Amino acid sequence: MTVRSEPPETQPGSAPAEPAELPEQQRILRVLVISQVLSGAGLAAGITVGALIAEDMLGSTGLAGVPSALFTAGAALGAAGIGRICGRWGRRPGLALGYGVGALGSVGVVAAAATGQVVALFLALLVYGAGTSTNLMARYAGADLASPARRGRAVSTVLFATTLGAVVGPNLAGPTGDVARSWGIPPLAGPFLLAAVAYGAAAIVLGCALRPDPLRLARALAESESGAPAPPGTPAPPTASAAPAAPAAPAAATTNAALRKGRDADGEQAGKASAAAAAPPDGGPATAAVAPSSEVTDVRGVATGTAVMVLGQLVMIAIMTMTPVHMRAHDHSTQASGLVIALHVGAMFLPSPLTGRLVDRFGRIPVAAASGVTLFAAGVLAALAPSHSVPALAVALVLLGLGWNFGLVSGTALVTDALPPARRASAQGLVDVGIALAGATGGLSSGMVVAGGSYPALALIGGLLALAITPVLLPHLRSVRGNQATAAEVPAGAGPTGER
């Protein structure tokens, strides 16, 4: 039985070691940041006016959650497809194609709104959903080359970059509506014009500049490391400063293997990065900037991280979707609801750098537990907020976004920790399918709950459901503590009992 012990750098309360990152990691993060700034505006379109378009075209509040359900169902299909493409050809083609499809769907929404074709609107929203799934799946690309001690921060950097576009987008509902009106298009379709441009630009940036491909490089490094395993019982390699001189041949063999794996469609950059990671520093043994990979998948870690993200998405989408409808029913303007949604989306992404540091410093489980508590507080506050009070609703939606952020960053780190690079992309795609389906369920059921009850009832139900995150964490926490106890009993020099 293989024991997967928690590395020291991720233990709660410990100061994590800071291994050097690959130089390519910084370039990859810069490209992802640019693409996420652009795509954030596209993500905001469906959140801000999707429910309002459906309510106008269908003439029913009970069906106002249909657009959210459709584009999140489209996100589920997109996540599965993008995950498979990334798994086979790399992150760059998968993410670029996803954003391109999202741009096409945005154009379709505008055309359907202009012609009043409800069926065409529904189909276009499904296609548009592929863009929203790509927006979230980009966070995995930021984590591919990150060391475990920096993984939370890598994920949070990509999410934080979404803030600018996602916050500006809802506040452009008025101006883009004026542009749409001048073109003879319903004003509510205006934000989707912006989404088409934003997603198209993000696709171009990723397709041209995401080199080397982070997933393919991570696989090359992992395979080069596993190509020359140490014999059973061999002690862990000493640090470079304390290590005696090692024969050059094993290091050269590792380097050459990484070079061969790195010479793919990205040219020589991946090979150079692999060589840099494998080169022996100061004459010491070959090392790598990323943790050695294992072929073992930590199923419990994947399940725990997925459950945290699924529950958070379900609660967040349900309450968020019906907030603009609730506000309009109480005579608030589109600008007021746009401001509340902008603050909410800002809270979804803006705290990401802090969340990433908390995840890396104190561990995944405490931050995931904080997600459930924060979402519960958001639901209770939204239920109790006076319908005429924009500030009270804004605070509730800010807490809703913050709780979602806690869950997404911690859950993503849990899932990425548990998966070896060779299995990572396709499994992550399936995880995001579950997240998208949870969003679709929340969006579709939210309108029905409000039509049959009230918005406060929906918010309270969502808050109570968020508390289920805490018991979900307990089995994984017990497993981690058990692995820590097992690792502590291993005699010095006996070697590691497993890998993360």
Side-chain angles (χ1 to χ4, degrees):
M1 177 179 178
T2 302
V3 179
R4 299 169 58 87
S5 59
E6 191 80 2
E9 63 267 24
T10 61
Q11 293 309 305
S14 63
E18 295 289 347
E21 296 283 8
L22 290 172
E24 275 66 20
Q25 170 72 346
Q26 294 304 312
R27 169 183 167 80
I28 287 165
L29 286 178
R30 285 195 295 270
V31 173
L32 290 171
V33 163
I34 294 171
S35 69
Q36 291 301 97
V37 168
L38 292 169
S39 65
L43 173 68
I47 295 174
T48 308
V49 299
L52 301 179
I53 289 178
E55 190 175 40
D56 282 352
M57 294 182 67
L58 300 173
S60 170
T61 300
L63 296 175
V66 170
S68 178
L70 286 172
F71 69 68
T72 48
L77 297 174
I82 294 166
R84 291 181 66 87
I85 292 171
C86 290
R88 184 166 184 178
W89 288 294
R91 298 288 187 194
R92 185 175 68 253
L95 297 178
L97 179 61
Y99 279 137
V101 171
L104 179 64
S106 301
V107 172
V109 171
V110 174
T115 58
Q117 297 295 320
V118 174
V119 175
L121 174 69
F122 289 170
L123 292 175
L125 285 168
L126 279 171
V127 179
Y128 166 81
T132 64
S133 69
T134 310
N135 194 291
L136 283 181
M137 290 195 73
R139 73 193 189 277
Y140 291 124
D144 280 330
L145 292 174
S147 62
R150 299 180 184 223
R151 193 159 283 154
R153 279 166 283 180
V155 171
S156 66
T157 297
V158 178
L159 291 176
F160 176 76
T162 313
T163 304
L164 179 60
V167 171
V168 170
N171 288 298
L172 293 178
T176 55
D178 294 338
V179 172
R181 185 185 293 109
S182 68
W183 292 355
I185 299 171
L188 288 177
F192 283 95
L193 289 173
L194 176 63
V197 175
Y199 279 149
I204 293 172
V205 167
L206 289 175
C208 296
L210 193 63
R211 299 174 184 273
D213 190 287
L215 181 59
R216 298 183 73 170
L217 179 53
R219 286 176 175 171
L221 291 170
E223 291 178 16
S224 68
E225 292 162 13
S226 63
T234 302
T239 59
S241 58
T254 303
T255 302
N256 290 336
L259 282 166
R260 287 194 296 272
K261 294 295 182 181
R263 292 192 182 105
D264 54 13
D266 295 315
E268 297 297 322
Q269 294 187 56
K272 292 177 182 178
S274 301
D282 302 325
T287 59
V290 293
S293 172
S294 170
E295 290 301 314
V296 178
T297 297
D298 182 359
V299 177
R300 179 169 288 172
V302 174
T304 302
T306 302
V308 170
M309 293 187 284
V310 163
L311 285 169
Q313 183 81 350
L314 175 65
V315 172
M316 188 274 292
I317 289 290
I319 297 175
M320 176 203 66
T321 297
M322 296 310 296
T323 298
V325 176
H326 171 68
M327 294 182 68
R328 188 163 76 165
H330 291 86
D331 300 322
H332 293 289
S333 66
T334 302
Q335 286 73 22
S337 61
L339 174 61
V340 170
I341 294 300
L343 292 172
H344 163 70
V345 175
M348 289 171 63
F349 300 106
L350 192 60
S352 294
L354 174 60
T355 305
R357 287 189 174 275
L358 292 174
V359 167
D360 289 339
R361 179 67 176 84
F362 297 105
R364 284 66 162 137
I365 299 301
V367 178
S371 169
V373 173
T374 307
L375 289 170
F376 170 73
V380 172
L381 182 57
L384 299 178
S387 58
H388 63 272
S389 176
V390 174
L393 287 170
V395 172
L397 268 289
V398 165
L399 288 175
L400 187 71
L402 181 62
W404 177 88
N405 179 270
F406 286 164
L408 189 72
V409 176
S410 60
T412 299
L414 279 166
V415 168
T416 305
D417 290 345
L419 291 167
R423 304 177 187 176
R424 190 171 289 168
S426 57
Q428 288 168 338
L430 292 176
V431 168
D432 277 20
V433 168
I435 295 172
L437 290 176
T441 302
L444 185 61
S445 61
S446 63
M448 299 177 182
V449 172
V450 171
S454 65
Y455 175 81
L458 170 70
L460 187 58
I461 291 171
L464 292 173
L465 184 60
L467 290 179
I469 289 176
T470 302
V472 163
L473 300 172
L474 296 179
H476 182 74
L477 183 60
R478 286 195 295 266
S479 175
V480 169
R481 288 177 174 173
N483 286 346
Q484 290 173 352
T486 302
E489 295 172 0
V490 177
T497 58
E499 295 177 340
R500 181 167 187 128

